[in-house]
Amino acid sequence: MSEDVFRALADPTRRRILDELAERNGQSLFEICTRLVTKHGLGLSRQAVSQHLAVLESAGLVVSRRQGRYKFHDLNTEPLERVMNRWLKTDSPENSS
Amino acid sequence: MSEDVFRALADPTRRRILDELAERNGQSLFEICTRLVTKHGLGLSRQAVSQHLAVLESAGLVVSRRQGRYKFHDLNTEPLERVMNRWLKTDSPENSS
DNA sequence: ACGATAGGCAAGTAGCGACTTGCCTATCAA
DNA sequence: TTGATAGGCAAGTCGCTACTTGCCTATCGT
């Protein structure tokens, strides 16, 4: 929940992950993995996706809930809304780093 | 006018430059340089700022107009609007890389 | 209990990206 | 025309980051 929303969005793979979660919320790491490989043809390891999810989570764009041996991930668009009114002044004057 | 709006936004210095232009449009390279140094205390060379402006311009976030030996830079928020409705679906369904 | 599944924790590698440095071009003022 | 100003080009350095590899922990089914 920090401030590196921009840095988190910088990577195309992470954007794909957000797309994936936007289309189908509450996926596990392996679900996201296989979907990225099959639907988008990306060849990346489980660890890669895991690290991407960590970045997204620390940016507050993804929240996760542990449940048994599964960890489900949900999209959270709230940081996006806060951060985008920095130059598009359509709302409150909340600026930051 | 390409597609790396996200990558352009990833760097904090570039975000500062956008802030600068949002506050005062039509600045030259040197104006932006001195403002970044004095107001934000950043110590960077002219070349650094020039390269940042090039990135912002190729992302379509900044447009420039040459005039004599000066080159003035203007903020363009239109790519931001297009790109943000990717996960915040408040508008048209325009998605991209 | 055992194996299989879901995930985590480093440490290491490779490439990209931000920044510098040095030199070159172009425009204006005197 | 000369000097100063505004900016561009290209190569080189250095740190960060995306990704891999190897091993470890935890939970579930049978």
Side-chain angles (χ1 to χ4, degrees):
Chain A
M1 190 75 78
S2 81
E3 240 311 321
D4 306 73
V5 182
F6 295 106
R7 201 183 69 79
L9 291 174
D11 187 85
T13 303
R14 281 196 287 268
R15 273 172 264 154
R16 287 284 165 81
I17 293 178
L18 292 183
D19 290 337
E20 237 1 274
L21 290 179
E23 181 182 332
R24 188 178 196 265
N25 232 341
Q27 296 189 60
S28 75
L29 172 60
F30 273 74
E31 285 175 307
I32 298 174
C33 261
T34 52
R35 281 194 159 221
L36 286 179
V37 173
T38 62
K39 294 181 52 179
H40 301 280
L42 305 181
L44 15 75
S45 70
R46 175 184 58 88
Q47 274 308 316
V49 180
S50 177
Q51 286 164 10
H52 280 309
L53 283 171
V55 173
L56 289 170
E57 196 163 358
S58 86
L61 291 167
V62 162
V63 289
S64 67
R65 44 196 163 92
R66 194 88 200 226
Q67 192 167 337
R69 59 176 157 176
Y70 299 98
K71 188 178 178 187
F72 299 111
H73 302 270
D74 297 282
L75 180 60
N76 181 26
T77 59
E78 185 262 344
L80 280 179
E81 302 165 11
R82 278 195 299 101
V83 119
M84 272 307 126
N85 313 348
R86 178 165 174 175
W87 301 286
L88 311 175
K89 25 199 70 174
T90 60
D91 212 9
S92 63
E94 296 294 338
N95 286 8
S96 39
S97 161
Chain B
M1 191 72 81
S2 85
E3 241 311 319
D4 305 76
V5 182
F6 295 105
R7 202 184 68 80
L9 290 174
D11 187 85
T13 303
R14 280 196 287 270
R15 272 173 264 153
R16 288 284 166 80
I17 292 178
L18 292 183
D19 290 337
E20 234 5 272
L21 289 178
E23 182 181 332
R24 188 177 196 266
N25 233 340
Q27 296 189 60
S28 75
L29 173 60
F30 273 75
E31 285 176 308
I32 298 173
C33 262
T34 52
R35 280 191 161 223
L36 287 178
V37 173
T38 61
K39 293 181 52 178
H40 301 281
L42 305 181
L44 16 74
S45 70
R46 174 184 59 90
Q47 275 308 315
V49 180
S50 177
Q51 285 164 10
H52 281 310
L53 283 171
V55 174
L56 290 170
E57 195 162 359
S58 87
L61 291 167
V62 162
V63 289
S64 65
R65 45 196 161 91
R66 195 87 200 228
Q67 194 166 336
R69 60 177 158 175
Y70 298 98
K71 189 179 179 187
F72 299 111
H73 302 270
D74 296 282
L75 179 61
N76 181 27
T77 59
E78 185 262 345
L80 281 178
E81 302 165 11
R82 279 195 298 104
V83 119
M84 273 307 124
N85 312 348
R86 180 166 175 173
W87 301 287
L88 311 176
K89 25 199 70 176
T90 59
D91 211 8
S92 62
E94 296 294 339
N95 285 7
S96 40
S97 163

